[in-house]
Amino acid sequence: MPSVEASGEAAVVEAALFAAGRPLTAAEIAELTDLPIRVAMRFADSLVREYSERAGGIEVRESEGRYVMQVRSTVADRVSKVGPQELDPPLLRTLAVIARHQPIPQSELVRVRGNKSYGHVRELLERGLIRAEKEGRTKIITTTKGFAEYFGLDFDDPDFVRRAMEGRRLGVTPMYRSLAERMGLEYDVVNPYSPGRNDLVAMKGLDLLVIAPGYAERAREHYSAELLEAGVRTFTQLKESAALIAERSGAADPARTASLLEEIDVLLAGYRERARGARPIRPLSPMVEEIALDLGVPTVEDGVPAAPDYKGLEAEIQVPTHQPYDMDILERIKERYEAILKGLAEG
């Protein structure tokens, strides 16, 4: 039986995990449910315990600060055929190369994606997303009806799919320019919040626009096509947003995107190691709390006060937020993490 705590706000957290279908950070749960981060985390932790005690077919797990509702691993193999299977990022990048360059010889795919693509081709064939026809010493690979259904395309003709993947025009606000460049994307820079004449003209031709979370309503006043709210306050958010942009745009350079994701992993691991054993922090804004959680720094009421510099709050740690738009996206996050670690060390 569900516990008493599974009603009310805890039920909203449970519903958010169910609806998301992917791992969520405590900050994302808080944003989705309009709860304080610490409250969202408390309810998420209670769900982890509750589902563990149930020992049913569904579990809620926490790993590296992210929570996910999923089929319990002990029964996953027995039900895998009846549920949609998500594509891992490396597999998705190989599929994107196939879709954009089809019909593509397997030998060319291996040149672009390396020997790992042999295994990717086998898995994509098993999932029915591609077909491979023998031609001489290689195979010619194209997408299938299953691919079109998976990605919600109207037609499964390989030429249509290729044009759809190549033809999506991407727009970004100035803050995301360096991210788009790092991913090898072609893009237009626009201001959808207070657009000028050139912005309005450019936005009419966009298929996808990347904006900051919480600004969709303002952007919708001037833009009607697909929006993607990309969180980049923390390294974890940046990694998730980069993967989502690559998937939605279908035009990111696989090698450059993979290099970016690897660089984020290395940077985050280094910062978490430096933060190990740090004094607790008292975040005075959701952004600072998200960064503390990403670093693994404890957050408590009597911790070292930390606030974003734009709020004018008295705090021992001032986290920079008024950073130039042309600043590299990784440097932007690094500057904030450094401010927190330096403040904790000096205290």
Side-chain angles (χ1 to χ4, degrees), residues 178-216:
S178 65
L179 176 59
E181 290 177 352
R182 278 179 168 271
M183 296 173 64
L185 289 161
E186 294 184 5
Y187 60 91
D188 291 304
V189 178
V190 297
N191 177 1
Y193 315 128
S194 301
R197 179 179 296 181
N198 291 339
D199 294 313
L200 291 172
V201 172
M203 284 191 290
K204 287 182 179 180
L206 299 180
D207 301 294
L208 175 65
L209 176 59
V210 180
I211 63 172
Y215 286 86

Side-chain angles (χ1 to χ4, degrees), residues 325-339:
Y325 280 132
D326 59 358
M327 187 177 191
D328 179 78
I329 196 74
L330 291 182
E331 295 301 319
R332 177 184 296 268
I333 299 174
K334 285 165 62 177
E335 192 174 90
R336 296 172 179 176
Y337 284 39
E338 291 289 347

Side-chain angles (χ1 to χ4, degrees), residues 127-181:
R127 296 191 182 203
L129 297 175
I130 63 170
R131 66 173 61 89
E133 298 181 0
K134 187 76 173 177
E135 184 175 292
R137 295 185 175 182
T138 189
K139 296 177 181 178
I140 303 299
I141 303 172
T142 55
T143 57
T144 63
K145 182 178 180 181
F147 175 96
E149 291 174 348
Y150 187 93
F151 289 98
L153 299 179
D154 294 330
F155 303 99
D156 62 351
D157 176 73
D159 288 335
F160 174 85
V161 172
R162 185 183 65 250
R163 289 194 300 271
M165 297 296 287
E166 290 179 342
R168 300 207 78 195
R169 189 173 165 190
L170 175 70
V172 299
T173 60
M175 184 171 66
Y176 298 93
R177 180 199 298 264
S178 65
L179 176 59
E181 290 177 352

Side-chain angles (χ1 to χ4, degrees), residues 21-42:
R22 64 177 179 85
L24 297 175
T25 64
E28 288 176 311
I29 297 172
E31 184 175 347
L32 290 170
T33 59
D34 293 325
L35 293 170
I37 293 178
R38 274 168 287 187
V39 174
M41 181 182 291
R42 187 174 77 246

Side-chain angles (χ1 to χ4, degrees), residues 248-262:
R248 294 279 189 88
S249 69
D253 181 276
R256 291 173 66 173
T257 302
S259 176
L260 171 63
L261 298 180
E262 183 178 353

Side-chain angles (χ1 to χ4, degrees), residues 3-317:
S3 68
V4 175
E5 195 176 29
S7 61
E9 292 178 329
V12 177
V13 173
E14 183 178 32
L17 289 171
F18 174 81
R22 64 177 179 85
L24 297 175
T25 64
E28 288 176 311
I29 297 172
E31 184 175 347
L32 290 170
T33 59
D34 293 325
L35 293 170
I37 293 178
R38 274 168 287 187
V39 174
M41 181 182 291
R42 187 174 77 246
F43 285 130
D45 287 334
S46 72
L47 287 170
V48 172
R49 294 191 297 271
E50 181 180 321
Y51 275 79
S52 177
E53 292 168 0
R54 289 184 193 179
I58 303 297
E59 64 181 355
V60 176
R61 297 192 62 185
E62 184 275 333
S63 177
E64 296 185 353
R66 299 196 296 173
Y67 299 85
V68 64
M69 179 178 286
Q70 62 186 19
V71 175
R72 193 175 296 278
S73 58
T74 54
V75 299
D77 290 343
R78 299 172 64 180
V79 299
S80 59
K81 293 183 179 179
V82 300
Q85 296 179 326
E86 295 296 326
L87 300 177
D88 293 333
L91 192 65
L92 184 62
R93 289 191 282 272
T94 295
L95 183 57
V97 172
I98 293 171
R100 292 203 306 272
H101 300 285
Q102 63 180 309
I104 182 172
Q106 183 164 330
S107 55
E108 175 64 13
L109 180 65
V110 172
R111 186 188 69 79
V112 174
R113 293 289 292 141
N115 289 332
K116 58 190 171 186
S117 61
Y118 286 114
H120 293 170
V121 166
R122 285 193 296 271
E123 185 170 350
L124 292 170
L125 284 169
E126 291 173 358
R127 296 191 182 203
L129 297 175
I130 63 170
R131 66 173 61 89
E133 298 181 0
K134 187 76 173 177
E135 184 175 292
R137 295 185 175 182
T138 189
K139 296 177 181 178
I140 303 299
I141 303 172
T142 55
T143 57
T144 63
K145 182 178 180 181
F147 175 96
E149 291 174 348
Y150 187 93
F151 289 98
L153 299 179
D154 294 330
F155 303 99
D156 62 351
D157 176 73
D159 288 335
F160 174 85
V161 172
R162 185 183 65 250
R163 289 194 300 271
M165 297 296 287
E166 290 179 342
R168 300 207 78 195
R169 189 173 165 190
L170 175 70
V172 299
T173 60
M175 184 171 66
Y176 298 93
R177 180 199 298 264
S178 65
L179 176 59
E181 290 177 352
R182 278 179 168 271
M183 296 173 64
L185 289 161
E186 294 184 5
Y187 60 91
D188 291 304
V189 178
V190 297
N191 177 1
Y193 315 128
S194 301
R197 179 179 296 181
N198 291 339
D199 294 313
L200 291 172
V201 172
M203 284 191 290
K204 287 182 179 180
L206 299 180
D207 301 294
L208 175 65
L209 176 59
V210 180
I211 63 172
Y215 286 86
E217 187 174 345
R218 286 181 60 184
R220 281 295 180 212
E221 295 177 7
H222 310 284
Y223 176 77
S224 59
E226 185 179 357
L227 282 174
L228 196 164
E229 297 182 62
V232 291
R233 287 175 166 178
T234 69
F235 281 122
T236 296
Q237 288 180 2
L238 175 60
K239 184 176 178 181
E240 292 171 351
S241 294
L244 191 57
I245 292 170
E247 177 183 341
R248 294 279 189 88
S249 69
D253 181 276
R256 291 173 66 173
T257 302
S259 176
L260 171 63
L261 298 180
E262 183 178 353
E263 185 175 356
I264 294 172
D265 283 339
V266 171
L267 284 170
L268 181 55
Y271 277 110
R272 284 177 173 171
E273 180 62 31
R274 289 173 57 188
R276 193 183 301 275
R279 292 179 304 151
I281 196 173
R282 178 161 68 95
L284 301 182
S285 78
M287 182 196 77
V288 176
E289 188 168 8
E290 290 168 15
I291 295 174
L293 289 170
D294 207 35
L295 283 169
V297 174
T299 58
V300 296
E301 285 298 325
D302 59 350
V304 181
D309 58 5
Y310 72 90
K311 288 204 169 186
L313 298 173
E314 290 189 9
E316 293 183 33
I317 300 174

